Amino acid sequence: MAWQPNITTMAKQNKSSMHVEYVNLINELEQYMPQFKATIKDLQEPSQSFVTNFYTDVFNEFFCDVNNLIEIHINQNLTYHEMYSETVPILNMCTALKYIYSKLGIDDFGLNDICDPSSKRTYRLLQTMINFIKYSDEKIHEVDAKMKAVRNMKDTIDSLKKQKDIIVNTINKKSLDRIQRGAEIKTVAEEVKDGKSELAKIQKHRDDVLKELEKVKQDQDDIEKKCSKLCELKDNIIRDINDLRAQIVEAPDLLKADHERLKRLKNEITEKKSAMMAQVSAKKQTVIILEQELASTRKNDYVC
């Protein structure tokens, strides 16, 4: 009878060997990626969240911007946009890891290694990545300058993003200020227009007032001339009054007596004048009669 291997014994040996390898891998993970926690069960029954967390920490270990992989902008109008937000980050991570593993000698990395990982396959992938991290730590001094440049570039990018945000905010603020200034300029222009119209009215009113003042001044000059004449007339009247006052006698009774005497004298003269006029009238009548008689006599003489 031919010899046949004990299948149960071989399975136990393989299981024991894998357990040792899992323990060694966990020890290496604790040494090179202390922030990542893994258990034997995680390696025996790997899940999507387990491998996703591992690769996320790997990206962080190499200073990769994980946000560019998991944060995406999806149009909300798309049908089933929730599906895009779940699958696109996984596809991005798969594409990045496929490129990395292709450089590490594994060309068949795919979505199943993330979404439906198997124990042996996951162990191989994690061991390969840990070996690469170990190699990177050994060669870190050779690429330290480049890594610093990458870090500085990342810091520069972050700084430029902040500056960009500041510039965008400044531009938006200036645009808003420009719009507000435009509205204010329009308001000021309207106010200037109204002010010019009001100024024209004021100037017209001023011209009318100046004309009225000129007329008032002319009237004032005329009034001053009249006042001057009145003052002169007043002075003449005062002078005449003073002259008349100078002629007033000190005894009014004497003046009254003289007035009565002059009145009587006037009456006497009037009577004499009347008598003389009567005499003249009589003499005139006599002359008329004589002239008539003389004319009659001359007529008779001519007849003879």
Side-chain angles (χ1 to χ4, degrees), residues 197-214:
S197 177
E198 190 67 23
L199 180 61
K201 292 180 181 179
I202 293 173
Q203 289 178 345
K204 185 177 182 301
H205 180 67
R206 186 196 64 179
D207 295 338
D208 295 339
V209 170
L210 290 175
K211 290 180 181 179
E212 190 68 23
L213 286 175
E214 187 68 24

Side-chain angles (χ1 to χ4, degrees), residues 24-42:
N24 292 335
L25 179 59
I26 290 174
N27 292 333
E28 290 181 343
L29 287 171
E30 291 178 352
Q31 180 180 356
Y32 294 100
M33 297 179 63
Q35 75 280 1
F36 180 74
K37 304 301 180 182
T39 63
I40 298 295
K41 185 177 180 180
D42 291 330

Side-chain angles (χ1 to χ4, degrees), residues 238-251:
I238 292 174
R239 187 168 54 253
D240 293 340
I241 290 173
N242 291 331
D243 292 341
L244 291 173
R245 284 179 178 176
Q247 295 176 5
I248 295 175
V249 295
E250 296 180 358

Side-chain angles (χ1 to χ4, degrees), residues 164-174:
K164 176 186 175 183
D165 294 337
I166 294 173
I167 292 172
V168 170
N169 292 332
T170 303
I171 292 173
N172 292 335
K173 183 178 179 181
K174 288 185 177 180

Side-chain angles (χ1 to χ4, degrees), residues 95-109 125 128-129 131-132 135-136:
T95 302
L97 291 172
K98 184 177 181 64
Y99 174 78
I100 294 173
Y101 276 116
S102 67
K103 300 299 180 180
L104 300 179
I106 298 176
D107 297 326
D108 58 348
F109 186 87
L125 293 173
T128 302
M129 187 61 70
N131 291 336
F132 175 66
Y135 175 80
S136 299

Side-chain angles (χ1 to χ4, degrees), residues 145-169:
K146 294 182 179 180
M147 292 300 295
K148 287 182 179 179
V150 171
R151 295 189 191 97
N152 293 335
M153 187 177 296
K154 183 177 181 298
D155 294 338
T156 302
I157 291 173
D158 293 338
S159 177
L160 291 175
K161 285 182 178 179
K162 291 180 180 179
Q163 292 179 8
K164 176 186 175 183
D165 294 337
I166 294 173
I167 292 172
V168 170
N169 292 332

